[in-house]
């Protein structure tokens, strides 16, 4: 007889989303994620990306958005794993025009870009969906 | 009806806070994840996925949903969760931010398996007693009521408390809430919320498939959706669209099938849009029985709801209305499908 009650659905959790939060990764030393803070730097980076066929993932976050914190360990993991994909982090308050240009309404938003065009999008802390889409578009 | 099974009917808690500081900023949204986890541990559920926009953060939980606004928290949980245990830690964390509780509302339908519930959810009297013990004394105005219907399986329990500054609904922001509870879902439609045997996909990928296949995606095409398909069955989603939220939770098993739809709107919303939205919800599940509770909506909303549902073969069997501190008017209507 199955047990009914509050923990019935435990098995399906994407556990790294929950448990990864308390361990802080040393982002600056080993992270492949490039944090872009200026519009000029973004323009340069975006223009350069159009010249290659490499997939770029932009992580749009906000300092006040707690759901973004949930996804941080997962995105670091993906950046370390997919070395043939570029990862960029943009704060929606710092680069409001860029966020608006990409129609970012909620965070975290992950935009997958290839040769200057948006090929896919993931909104929310959906680790498995993001991973699937990266694997699909990076080739 | 099965002898026992997963309890779909939720318990819902809404807490409103206020503070002396005129600039509250992001308020409760500052709550760090460890504090939220502490609250959810007490309730016995965990975060499955999350998203935030400029107005609020929305979390899909293992047992339903959590919405965090700067001065308002809504937690809705199903199964045998201990929802009321979230009150003391939430009040503690809010107090650390200089925020005090000014209004509180607890609502639920009738449990399909009332004997499976832990204390104090064994009776509404015990629940009210338990909530009251956790409330600060400045919430002087309190009311508890069971709103009846002709169907014993669908009645509506409401407890509401307010301090002297928020007792009239005019003092609260112009929002309203629609809570829809559906039972005896169409069996073929409910099957869409079961995972395929051997399906190795993750819950969020499965959830997205269910959202598309069942037509839930079309209820509000503008909304950003966080969805999850549970193993072996079950579904949860939060939809966010500007200030509006919606949330759907499904327990599809035959014998105790249940689905809920909740929408947080503003009183400036168009009636026809709301009617269309409810129609689409009913078409996803085709329940034999349905109840709708509308809190602090416009006076004539119940007429619109009945008008929207009648063409789908749902006959209004009862309608009850009552007024509550801070919440304003609560209207409770029940419907049964003519096909049965």
């Amino acid at each position: 007889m199955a047990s009914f009650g509050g923990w019935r659905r435990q098995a399906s959790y994407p556990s790294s989303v929950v448990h990864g939060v308390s361990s802080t990764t040393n982002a600056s030393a080993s992270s492949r994620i490039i944090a872009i803070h200026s519009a000029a730097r973004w323009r340069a980076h975006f223009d350069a990306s159009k010249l290659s066929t490499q997939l770029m993932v932009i992580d749009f976050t906000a300092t006040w958005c707690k759901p973004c914190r949930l996804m941080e360990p997962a995105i670091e993991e993906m950046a370390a794993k997919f070395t043939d994909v570029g990862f960029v982090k943009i704060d929606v308050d710092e680069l409001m025009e860029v966020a608006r240009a990409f129609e970012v309404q909620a965070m975290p938003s992950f935009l997958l870009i290839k040769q200057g065009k948006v090929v896919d999008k993931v909104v929310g802390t959906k680790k498995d969906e993001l991973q699937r889409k990266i694997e699909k578009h990076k080739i | 009806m099965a002898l026992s099974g997963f309890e779909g009917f939720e318990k819902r808690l809404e807490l409103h806070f206020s503070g002396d500081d005129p600039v509250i900023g992001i308020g409760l949204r500052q709550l760090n994840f460890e504090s939220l986890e502490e609250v959810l541990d007490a309730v016995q559920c965990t975060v499955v996925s999350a998203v935030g926009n400029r107005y609020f953060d929305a979390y899909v939980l293992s047992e339903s949903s959590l919405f965090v606004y700067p001065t308002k928290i809504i937690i809705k949980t199903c199964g045998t969760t201990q929802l009321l245990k979230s009150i003391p830690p939430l009040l503690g964390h809010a107090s650390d931010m200089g925020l005090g509780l000014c209004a509180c509302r607890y609502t639920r339908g009738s449990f399909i398996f009332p004997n499976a519930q832990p204390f104090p959810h064994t009776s509404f009297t015990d629940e009210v007693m338990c909530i009251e013990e956790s409330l600060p004394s400045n919430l002087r105005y309190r009311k508890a009521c069971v709103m009846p219907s002709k169907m014993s399986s669908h009645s509506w329990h409401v407890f509401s408390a307010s301090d002297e500054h928020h007792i009239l609904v005019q003092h609260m922001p112009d929002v309203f809430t629609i809570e829809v509870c559906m039972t005896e879902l169409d069996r073929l439609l409910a099957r869409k919320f079961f995972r395929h045997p051997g399906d190795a996909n993750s819950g969020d990928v499965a959830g997205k498939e269910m959202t598309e296949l069942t037509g839930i995606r079309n209820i509000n095409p503008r909304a950003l959706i966080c969805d999850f398909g549970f193993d072996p069955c079950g579904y949860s989603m939060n939809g966010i669209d500007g200030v509006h939220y919606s949330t759907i939770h499904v327990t599809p098993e035959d014998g105790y099938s249940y689905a809920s739809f909740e929408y947080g709107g503003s009183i400036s919303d168009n009636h026809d849009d709301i009617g269309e939205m409810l129609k689409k919800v009913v078409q996803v599940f085709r329940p034999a029985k349905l109840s709708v509770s509308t809190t602090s909506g416009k006076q004539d909303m119940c007429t619109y709801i009945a008008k929207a549902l009648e063409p789908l073969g749902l006959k209004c069997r009862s309608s009850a209305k009552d007024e509550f501190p801070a919440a304003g008017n609560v209207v409770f209507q029940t419907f049964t499908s003519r096909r049965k």
Side-chain angles (χ1 to χ4, degrees):
Chain A
M1 163 100 90
S3 67
F4 303 107
W7 295 103
R8 179 187 87 149
R9 294 164 170 178
Q10 193 170 10
S12 324
Y13 309 164
S15 58
S16 66
V17 173
V18 174
H19 297 302
V21 179
S22 14
S23 63
T24 41
T25 40
N26 184 354
S28 50
S30 54
S31 174
R32 286 192 59 245
I33 304 176
I34 303 169
I36 293 188
H37 301 284
S38 80
R41 174 110 202 264
W42 164 249
R43 236 171 285 125
H45 192 90
F46 186 52
D47 288 342
S49 77
K50 288 181 192 170
L51 302 172
S52 92
T53 54
Q54 192 192 53
L55 176 67
M56 173 167 61
V57 177
I58 314 176
D59 175 8
F60 284 96
T61 65
T63 51
W64 40 263
C65 177
K66 287 291 171 268
C68 297
R69 302 287 87 75
L70 267 184
M71 196 64 175
E72 274 166 13
I75 197 77
E76 287 286 351
E77 218 180 273
M78 280 187 235
K81 175 176 171 177
F82 297 111
T83 51
D84 52 347
V85 176
F87 286 82
V88 167
K89 190 165 165 164
I90 289 182
D91 180 303
V92 300
D93 295 314
E94 270 179 358
L95 293 176
M96 275 193 286
E97 307 77 32
V98 180
R100 206 172 309 158
F102 286 104
E103 296 174 333
V104 173
Q105 303 278 347
M107 276 79 64
S109 269
F110 302 94
L111 264 72
L112 281 72
I113 304 206
K114 219 165 182 184
Q115 291 185 295
K117 294 203 166 55
V118 177
V119 296
D120 223 327
K121 184 174 181 169
V122 175
V123 181
T125 61
K126 297 173 191 172
K127 178 189 169 209
D128 293 311
E129 186 185 331
L130 180 58
Q131 180 149 326
R132 247 186 33 162
K133 289 182 170 180
I134 290 175
E135 280 164 357
K136 174 182 169 188
H137 292 290
K138 71 186 184 78
I139 37 174
Chain B
M1 182 63 82
L3 286 174
S4 68
F6 188 78
E7 181 64 64
F9 271 95
E10 296 101 343
K11 308 158 181 115
R12 182 186 184 281
L13 188 64
E14 183 171 317
L15 303 174
H16 291 256
F17 296 84
S18 60
D20 290 327
D21 192 336
V23 181
I24 286 174
I26 59 164
L28 297 164
R29 298 181 72 182
Q30 268 174 87
L31 269 175
N32 63 33
F33 191 66
E34 285 70 31
S35 306
L36 269 180
E37 263 197 317
E38 181 204 326
V39 172
L40 296 176
D41 271 350
V43 177
Q44 290 189 308
C45 57
T46 60
V47 171
V48 166
S49 73
V51 74
N53 68 12
R54 78 176 79 160
Y55 304 104
F56 65 100
D57 296 317
Y59 298 85
V60 175
L61 307 176
S62 53
E63 312 294 334
S64 290
S65 295
L66 165 68
F67 299 96
V68 184
Y69 291 77
T71 56
K72 176 174 78 176
I73 283 190
I74 298 169
I75 318 184
K76 185 166 174 164
T77 62
C78 56
T80 52
T81 47
Q82 303 261 38
L83 180 58
L84 302 180
K85 290 193 170 162
S86 67
I87 302 179
L90 277 172
L91 296 193
H93 290 301
S95 164
D96 291 342
M97 289 178 204
L99 294 171
L101 192 68
C102 61
C104 155
R105 182 166 92 239
Y106 175 73
T107 52
R108 69 164 170 86
S110 297
F111 296 122
I112 298 174
F113 304 110
N115 297 329
Q117 291 291 325
F119 181 86
H121 301 291
T122 34
S123 80
F124 187 50
T125 313
D126 289 335
E127 286 171 314
V128 172
M129 185 181 70
C130 203
I131 300 172
E132 297 211 271
E133 275 168 12
S134 309
L135 296 183
S137 56
N138 61 305
L139 265 65
R140 262 185 266 283
Y141 302 90
R142 306 178 180 190
K143 178 164 169 175
C145 177
V146 183
M147 298 179 78
S149 75
K150 297 198 175 99
M151 300 190 303
S152 58
S153 55
H154 283 252
S155 60
W156 195 243
H157 305 75
V158 184
F159 169 83
S160 178
S162 171
D163 69 8
E164 58 192 341
H165 304 294
H166 296 84
I167 181 171
L168 294 175
V169 70
Q170 287 92 298
H171 300 141
M172 300 293 267
D174 59 350
V175 298
F176 74 88
T177 318
I178 293 184
E179 291 165 77
V180 181
C181 302
M182 294 167 275
T183 52
E184 295 170 53
L185 311 181
D186 177 289
R187 282 160 114 193
L188 282 177
L189 296 175
R191 292 294 319 168
K192 295 182 182 184
F193 296 100
F194 281 76
R195 299 284 299 261
H196 304 302
D199 173 5
N201 279 331
S202 67
D204 51 68
V205 170
K208 194 173 168 127
E209 269 175 25
M210 291 178 188
T211 300
E212 299 286 339
L213 279 167
T214 58
I216 288 176
R217 175 66 273 184
N218 298 325
I219 294 172
N220 176 3
R222 267 191 338 258
L224 283 163
I225 292 185
C226 266
D227 39 25
F228 199 84
F230 293 91
D231 195 8
C233 64
Y235 169 89
S236 286
M237 77 74 126
N238 287 342
I240 71 173
D241 176 16
V243 292
H244 297 157
Y245 73 86
S246 58
T247 181
I248 293 178
H249 301 280
V250 187
T251 300
E253 292 102 316
D254 198 34
Y256 50 96
S257 65
Y258 172 85
S260 67
F261 171 77
E262 178 177 328
Y263 173 71
S266 39
I267 56 174
S268 55
D269 283 354
N270 181 292
H271 284 148
D272 293 331
D273 292 343
I274 305 228
E276 282 311 301
M277 185 178 66
L278 289 177
K279 275 192 171 123
K280 287 178 192 168
V281 170
V282 169
Q283 282 162 338
V284 172
F285 300 104
R286 293 209 180 272
K289 295 184 178 142
L290 179 152
S291 60
V292 185
S293 166
T294 315
T295 305
S296 138
K298 282 184 266 201
Q299 302 282 37
D300 52 358
M301 203 167 274
C302 50
T303 328
Y304 280 90
I305 291 174
K307 270 207 180 112
L309 299 183
E310 213 178 86
L312 300 178
L314 283 165
K315 190 166 154 70
C316 186
R317 299 294 175 187
S318 71
S319 186
K321 180 167 118 178
D322 207 337
E323 201 176 327
F324 291 84
N329 288 320
V330 173
V331 175
F332 179 62
Q333 296 165 281
T334 58
F335 298 81
T336 55
S337 166
R338 284 198 188 87
R339 68 177 161 85
K340 285 233 158 111

